[in-house]
Amino acid sequence: MLKDKNLKTKIKGGVTLMGRGRKSNYINKLTNKDQNFLKALRNVGYLNQNHIKEHIGLTDKRVVNYERDGLIERCAYLNRETKEMEHIWRLTDKGRDLTSTQMNLDNFYKSSSARHDLGLADKYFSLSQSDRDHWLTEADLRDRLYEQIENLQEQREIARAEELREMLQERMISPPDGGCMRGEHMVTFEIITSSYGPAELAAKDEYVQEMGVQYETIKI
């Protein structure tokens, strides 16, 4: 029922979720903090307790209510630095549907691994609010490359357009994990783990060179 856009009403300070003839949910209204929470999960995949409490400001009770409604899933994660198990959270299919319908967001970040995604979340929350508001997921960045290929086609640079299509198919060109728009300039970020090989890194470099964007790598 949350998929019905007619059930969404805008109110000051958030979005009220309404359901016809159904048992009321624990989450009945999306506050600004809720929207920042769902947007962050859409943008980076996993969040830990520090991200949620310190950077977003959600209470433990609110997080539990998201779990009760089946919007997020709690997972166990072994922190390599502390050697302790921690709880981390990600969106469920129901949570993605809610985020898409109520906040008009798509192109959800496709998770790589918990450790990798938490590194991306750390970078995400180190940025300004403006940068986070203008965040682009890897899928968004891929769409920008498709647009570039279409532009080359229209400019009759057929050979280069076909070359880029083949490189995409062969995974010889690949967008970074995320980025943001700063005015007309794009800044992109890549979290690098020990599992990254030369070919994978070269594919990221190809994207950066083709698109002419700023690029920052963060090793974890």
Side-chain angles (χ1 to χ4, degrees):
M1 294 182 182
L2 292 175
K3 295 181 180 179
D4 188 345
K5 294 185 178 180
N6 294 325
L7 302 185
K8 178 179 70 172
T9 56
K10 292 281 186 179
I11 65 171
K12 185 177 181 180
V15 176
T16 294
L17 308 181
M18 302 167 58
R20 301 191 189 106
R22 65 176 292 172
K23 183 178 179 180
S24 62
N25 294 322
Y26 291 96
I27 304 296
N28 296 306
K29 171 187 172 182
L30 296 183
T31 65
N32 290 334
K33 289 181 180 179
D34 291 318
Q35 293 182 61
N36 287 335
F37 176 52
L38 294 172
K39 186 187 298 182
L41 287 168
R42 174 260 182 187
N43 288 343
V44 301
Y46 284 97
L47 298 179
N48 62 26
Q49 189 174 44
N50 179 66
H51 299 139
I52 296 170
K53 296 186 73 172
E54 300 300 324
H55 295 287
I56 299 175
L58 282 190
T59 64
D60 292 339
K61 181 178 179 181
R62 190 66 168 173
V63 174
V64 169
N65 284 340
Y66 270 96
E67 292 180 34
R68 288 173 173 173
D69 279 348
L71 299 171
I72 61 174
E73 178 182 16
R74 183 189 308 198
C75 307
Y77 168 71
L78 177 62
N79 187 315
R80 291 189 180 185
E81 284 70 36
T82 65
K83 308 300 182 183
E84 295 180 355
M85 295 299 296
E86 298 178 0
H87 287 137
I88 58 176
W89 290 264
R90 64 185 178 188
L91 288 170
T92 62
D93 288 343
K94 183 178 179 181
R96 282 188 287 273
D97 286 344
L98 172 71
T99 304
S100 178
T101 302
Q102 302 297 333
M103 299 176 60
N104 195 32
L105 292 174
D106 55 13
N107 275 352
F108 287 74
Y109 173 76
K110 186 176 180 180
S111 180
S112 177
S113 71
R115 180 168 177 264
H116 175 279
D117 296 354
L118 291 172
L120 182 60
D122 286 341
K123 181 60 186 180
Y124 176 79
F125 285 111
S126 75
L127 301 173
S128 68
Q129 185 62 55
S130 177
D131 283 348
R132 298 199 297 271
D133 288 341
H134 296 89
W135 187 260
L136 299 167
T137 64
E138 186 172 356
D140 291 324
L141 296 177
R142 184 174 290 105
D143 282 350
R144 297 296 179 97
L145 180 57
Y146 289 142
E147 292 174 5
Q148 171 76 349
I149 292 173
E150 291 178 3
N151 289 337
L152 290 170
Q153 193 82 27
E154 292 174 358
Q155 295 165 10
R156 298 187 181 280
E157 296 186 35
I158 310 300
R160 180 56 177 164
E162 288 301 321
E163 182 182 15
L164 288 174
R165 288 195 183 96
E166 292 178 6
M167 291 176 70
L168 266 171
Q169 292 178 354
E170 299 296 326
R171 298 184 179 181
M172 296 173 63
I173 186 169
S174 176
D177 292 318
C180 60
M181 295 301 300
R182 293 175 180 167
E184 296 181 357
H185 301 286
M186 185 191 299
V187 182
T188 60
F189 308 99
E190 181 69 29
I191 304 299
I192 298 177
T193 67
S194 58
S195 65
Y196 275 53
E200 191 170 2
L201 293 174
K204 304 293 181 179
D205 289 336
E206 284 286 350
Y207 180 93
V208 171
Q209 293 176 23
E210 176 62 32
M211 300 300 290
V213 299
Q214 187 175 333
Y215 183 47
E216 179 182 341
T217 59
I218 303 99
K219 294 183 179 181
I220 61 171

